[in-house]
Amino acid sequence: MRHRPPTVKLPLSPDEIDGQTVTFRPVKDGIDSEVSGVLEVIEDADGFNVNASYVVSQNPPQSHVYWFDQSEIDGIARSLIKEKRRILIVDDDPESTHLVKILLEKTGNYIVLEENDAEEAHQSARNFRPDAILLDIMMPKTDGGEVAAQIEADPELRSTPIIFLTALVTEPETKAGLRIEGHRSLAKPINIPQLIDQIEESLPRTTTTPSRSQE
């Protein structure tokens, strides 16, 4: 059965998005490595669909069409206009979240929202529309795994990258690419340069190219 492409609202005009080259991770296709493709905007009766074709294999040549959902398109648009990336950090330790907020915002590249109540994390994500979520695992009442499941079950948020922050793993393990429930992880205490690397690697990036209407 063929799935219908997600309908999205474009944060920019179609001409500003169509024809742009984007680097992304097609995690919905089960691929967690960077690929590149050219964005194609298609208008239908309900709104817009946006896709990019990427190479699956060279021998034999094979490509796949990836359809972007709303959260991915919002992130791509922010990248195109060089807007600060929105980061939600969820941890029951206010001192920890505030320190991360200060250090990330000091770079000038991020806007950070703190959420210290895991039970409110899903709603905070819906309101804030983050480009990435930093999520502690061990929290009272609702743990990070439950919050991640709520995010993944939300059609408007499920493609938002999640990075688990935890003292349950070591720094060498996270450097080796350890995944927890399929998500990136970072050992506590948090190393800010490593955190920034993890954030940037998880976000889609665009390469400015002329739109098709300008060619």
Side-chain angles (χ1 to χ4, degrees), residues 124-199:
S124 291
R126 288 187 63 86
N127 295 339
F128 186 57
R129 301 291 174 173
D131 294 300
I133 299 173
L134 311 180
L135 184 56
D136 185 28
I137 290 182
M138 302 295 291
M139 294 183 287
K141 297 182 182 178
T142 304
D143 65 29
E146 293 177 78
V147 175
Q150 293 170 1
I151 298 297
E152 291 169 339
D154 189 323
E156 296 185 5
L157 296 171
R158 62 187 175 195
S159 295
T160 306
I162 293 173
I163 301 172
F164 279 122
L165 309 176
T166 177
L168 301 176
V169 300
T170 64
E171 186 173 324
E173 287 177 319
T174 58
K175 282 185 175 181
L178 176 70
R179 299 271 167 163
I180 299 176
E181 297 181 3
H183 300 290
R184 294 171 178 270
S185 63
L186 193 66
K188 286 185 172 183
I190 298 169
N191 179 301
I192 293 299
Q194 289 179 12
L195 175 59
I196 291 173
D197 287 344
Q198 291 267 32
I199 292 171

Side-chain angles (χ1 to χ4, degrees), residues 24 26 29 31 35-37 52-56 62-66:
F24 61 100
D29 291 348
I31 299 173
V35 299
S36 295
S53 295
Y54 64 93
V55 175
V56 178
Q62 185 179 358
S63 63
H64 185 78
V65 176
Y66 184 84

Side-chain angles (χ1 to χ4, degrees), residues 18-22 24 36-40 51-53 209 212:
D18 190 69
Q20 297 288 349
T21 299
V22 62
F24 61 100
S36 295
V38 177
L39 296 173
E40 179 183 22
N51 73 74
S53 295
T209 55
R212 290 172 183 165

Side-chain angles (χ1 to χ4, degrees), residues 33 40 64 73 84 97 105 152 171 207:
S33 57
E40 179 183 22
H64 185 78
I73 290 301
K84 292 181 180 180
T97 59
E105 291 189 342
E152 291 169 339
E171 186 173 324
T207 302

Side-chain angles (χ1 to χ4, degrees), residues 18-166:
D18 190 69
Q20 297 288 349
T21 299
V22 62
T23 300
F24 61 100
R25 291 174 179 264
V27 291
K28 293 197 295 287
D29 291 348
I31 299 173
D32 191 26
S33 57
E34 289 191 341
V35 299
S36 295
V38 177
L39 296 173
E40 179 183 22
V41 178
I42 300 172
E43 186 172 7
D44 65 17
D46 299 320
F48 294 92
N49 311 127
V50 182
N51 73 74
S53 295
Y54 64 93
V55 175
V56 178
S57 65
Q58 297 285 358
N59 190 19
Q62 185 179 358
S63 63
H64 185 78
V65 176
Y66 184 84
W67 297 94
F68 296 92
D69 63 23
Q70 189 66 59
S71 63
E72 292 170 313
I73 290 301
D74 289 343
I76 288 170
R78 282 194 276 272
S79 175
L80 283 169
I81 62 177
K82 302 191 185 311
E83 185 176 318
K84 292 181 180 180
R85 297 304 188 105
R86 302 164 72 85
I87 308 297
L88 172 64
I89 179 168
V90 182
D91 193 319
D92 61 307
D93 181 356
E95 292 185 4
S96 175
T97 59
H98 192 58
L99 178 59
V100 172
K101 173 183 172 70
I102 290 172
L103 294 175
L104 286 181
E105 291 189 342
K106 189 177 180 180
T107 68
N109 297 323
Y110 308 103
I111 298 172
V112 181
L113 175 68
E114 302 170 68
E115 178 54 74
N116 302 121
D117 185 346
E119 293 185 321
E120 298 296 326
H122 181 207
Q123 188 59 50
S124 291
R126 288 187 63 86
N127 295 339
F128 186 57
R129 301 291 174 173
D131 294 300
I133 299 173
L134 311 180
L135 184 56
D136 185 28
I137 290 182
M138 302 295 291
M139 294 183 287
K141 297 182 182 178
T142 304
D143 65 29
E146 293 177 78
V147 175
Q150 293 170 1
I151 298 297
E152 291 169 339
D154 189 323
E156 296 185 5
L157 296 171
R158 62 187 175 195
S159 295
T160 306
I162 293 173
I163 301 172
F164 279 122
L165 309 176
T166 177

